[in-house]
Amino acid sequence: MPKSYNHLFSQIASFENLFAAWEAAQRGKRRRPDVAAFERHLESHLLQLERQLLDGSYRPGRYRSFYIREPKRRKISAAPFRDRVVHHALVRVIAPIFEARFSNASYACRVGKGTHRAANHAQALVRRYPYVLKADVAQFFPSVDHGVLMGLLARHIACQPTLALCQTLMSSGDGILASEYTLRFFPGDDLFAALRPRGLPIGNLTSQFWANVYLNGFDTLFQRELRLPHVRYCDDLLIFADAKPTLHAALAALHARAATLRLTLHPLKTRLYHADEGVEFVGYRLFRDHRRLRRSNVRLFVRRLRRQQRAYRAGQLSAKRLRASLRSWIAHAQHADTYRLRARLLRAHPFAPPERQP
């Protein structure tokens, strides 16, 4: 793709890019009614999006929000499918600009990265260093400040229509996570700070990408300024060192850097300890010579397994979907020392054949 950063918008709004964005947005979702409806008149929908983007009349639709409670209660917000196509079209063009600047220690929502490679990197550091600082951002997605994020994007994007589209998509999610946010004031704030637009809807491709843009300052702090080994998966961060005082100083620097982003660290989930205790990260508990699943991960799997047993027996869950779900968890569990655990859980929860309808 051309690297003319001043003329990005024509690439974003092109029919070819929108078609590629549609292909990515519909992958694995073609049976959903909104996706199928868009596909029935695909060419006209894409041409309409192209025209609206180019003439400035494009406006995002309303989100549909719902809560999930595993592994913790979170508010998920789904944009209309046509808007998800635009999200993909935007990220396809601007992501390469930022990927060149991202740290190799950042593993969330990036091609060739992911949780398993993040766990491998973290375990290699557990073997080398005796102390670890585990940090977590409090209410990260609800806390993302739109003004700060736009400033970070503008450092590397000179194309004003592209920045305007970023602002439009960002503003469409303003306030969606307001109920999930606890108001905090930072040095220099006045009472109008409460009115600052903030929050990235959980579920958007743009939210995942912008999270990496927003938190890249953490990677810069540890990789270039403090020169400490670290690994990050979204707002979950591990920093390693040979001595505790080094990590106490790193924690103070992290608090200061977080404040510049209008973020705070979670007081209970941020702690410094000896790596031999086992380091919890991306669903695993990492030790020098072995790896376990987090207990909460196992409990969630057992609860899901019981629900699937009932649904399968009642004929509400097909064998195909059941196998896909089990394979997904087994693939995750296989990256830890879990052979006996997997065998025991699957033996303890056999699946009876579906009940015959009278």
Side-chain angles (χ1 to χ4, degrees), residues 33-329:
D34 56 339
V35 180
F38 191 95
E39 187 176 4
R40 275 197 295 272
H41 305 284
L42 178 60
E43 184 175 0
S44 62
H45 283 305
L46 294 181
L47 287 171
Q48 182 186 49
L49 275 179
E50 180 184 30
R51 184 175 63 255
Q52 290 178 343
L53 287 168
L54 291 174
D55 67 18
S57 64
Y58 167 74
R59 296 293 181 272
R62 297 184 62 180
Y63 284 86
R64 177 179 60 86
S65 297
F66 55 94
Y67 285 91
I68 62 170
R69 289 169 173 78
E70 292 184 2
K72 61 182 180 181
R73 186 178 182 272
R74 291 190 301 170
K75 186 177 183 180
I76 307 297
S77 300
F81 181 72
R82 69 187 296 271
D83 294 335
R84 296 203 294 275
V85 172
V86 176
H87 293 189
H88 278 268
L90 173 67
V91 172
R92 275 177 51 80
V93 173
I94 69 172
I97 300 171
F98 292 90
E99 275 291 333
R101 293 166 172 81
F102 286 161
S103 166
N104 288 332
S106 169
Y107 282 87
C109 307
R110 297 179 64 194
V111 176
K113 296 288 188 174
T115 56
H116 299 141
R117 293 191 179 187
N120 292 342
H121 186 170
Q123 189 165 28
L125 294 174
V126 166
R127 292 177 180 134
R128 291 178 56 192
Y129 296 93
Y131 297 104
V132 60
L133 169 63
K134 179 175 174 59
D136 185 278
V137 177
Q139 300 176 334
F140 171 63
F141 281 101
S143 300
V144 172
D145 186 275
H146 293 188
V148 173
L149 178 55
M150 284 301 300
L152 295 172
L153 293 171
R155 288 183 187 179
H156 305 293
I157 296 177
C159 177
Q160 290 305 311
T162 299
L163 289 174
L165 178 60
C166 291
Q167 183 69 73
T168 296
L169 294 178
M170 225 175 281
S171 298
S172 71
D174 182 25
I176 283 181
L177 292 178
S179 61
E180 315 301 304
Y181 178 71
T182 303
L183 181 61
R184 299 174 178 87
F185 288 93
F186 295 87
D189 279 353
D190 55 25
L191 293 178
F192 291 101
L195 303 178
R196 293 178 68 98
R198 61 175 64 86
L200 295 179
I202 300 173
N204 283 349
L205 175 67
T206 46
S207 297
Q208 298 167 3
F209 170 69
W210 284 334
N212 280 334
V213 174
Y214 207 83
L215 295 176
N216 191 52
F218 285 1
D219 301 324
T220 301
L221 172 66
F222 294 111
Q223 191 164 321
R224 299 181 185 176
E225 299 175 29
L226 300 181
R227 297 189 180 279
L228 289 175
H230 80 288
V231 57
R232 181 175 64 81
Y233 194 92
C234 196
D235 62 322
D236 198 356
L237 182 68
L238 301 176
I239 308 100
F240 294 83
D242 289 317
K244 280 188 175 182
T246 303
L247 291 180
H248 282 299
L251 179 57
L254 181 58
H255 275 294
R257 182 59 55 89
T260 67
L261 298 170
R262 304 186 65 80
L263 300 175
T264 56
L265 302 182
H266 196 294
L268 300 179
K269 296 180 181 180
T270 299
R271 58 184 288 255
L272 192 164
Y273 56 101
H274 203 287
D276 283 348
E277 294 181 27
V279 178
E280 289 198 352
F281 190 58
V282 294
Y284 300 104
R285 191 172 182 87
L286 309 172
F287 297 86
R288 295 178 187 275
D289 57 354
H290 67 287
R291 184 184 304 182
R292 298 175 183 167
L293 287 181
R294 290 178 58 183
R295 290 183 180 179
S296 59
N297 184 297
V298 177
R299 287 196 296 269
L300 289 173
F301 173 68
V302 170
R303 282 204 290 266
R304 186 168 77 239
L305 204 57
R306 287 170 178 164
R307 288 198 303 270
Q308 289 175 334
Q309 281 180 307
R310 293 192 294 269
Y312 181 66
R313 183 165 177 77
Q316 299 167 350
L317 179 66
S318 68
K320 182 179 179 180
R321 289 183 60 190
L322 171 61
R323 283 194 295 268
S325 176
L326 290 176
R327 285 179 185 144
S328 176
W329 184 82

